[in-house]
Amino acid sequence: MQTIKGFFATIWKYWKKFGQFIGDMIGRVFLMLFYVTVTLPFGIGMRLFGDPLDIQNKSRPSTWRERTSPEATVDASYNQF
């Protein structure tokens, strides 16, 4: 009985090592595919066509945006967000 238990314990030990190896490889492949199909095209598109800081707008002398202040009433202070 002890030899069968030892045999299966050895098989289980190697199976866990094999499963860890396969899991690591699948994780790396999945993350690489996610990066190549989602993150990389988004970054290239933003680099080529995007201007999130509005730096390219030459119609204003400054790149600072005008801040609009809310009305200063007691009722407005209750609804700040």
Side-chain angles (χ1 to χ4, degrees):
M1 184 65 179
Q2 196 61 276
T3 59
I4 294 174
K5 186 176 181 181
F7 173 72
F8 284 118
T10 305
I11 290 176
W12 180 246
K13 182 176 71 170
Y14 287 119
W15 181 255
K16 288 193 300 186
K17 287 183 182 181
F18 176 71
Q20 182 71 38
F21 174 74
I22 293 297
D24 290 343
M25 290 299 115
I26 289 174
R28 289 178 183 172
V29 168
F30 175 75
L31 288 176
M32 182 192 68
L33 289 175
F34 178 78
Y35 176 76
V36 169
T37 59
V38 176
T39 308
L40 188 64
F42 179 77
I44 291 172
M46 284 301 294
R47 176 70 59 113
L48 294 176
F49 304 113
D51 188 18
L53 297 178
D54 200 22
I55 295 173
Q56 300 297 325
N57 189 357
K58 304 293 185 200
S59 64
R60 293 181 290 174
S62 173
T63 57
W64 287 81
R65 294 185 180 186
E66 293 293 328
R67 181 176 181 266
T68 58
S69 297
E71 55 190 53
T73 63
V74 175
D75 292 331
S77 66
Y78 287 117
N79 189 13
Q80 295 181 16
F81 303 104

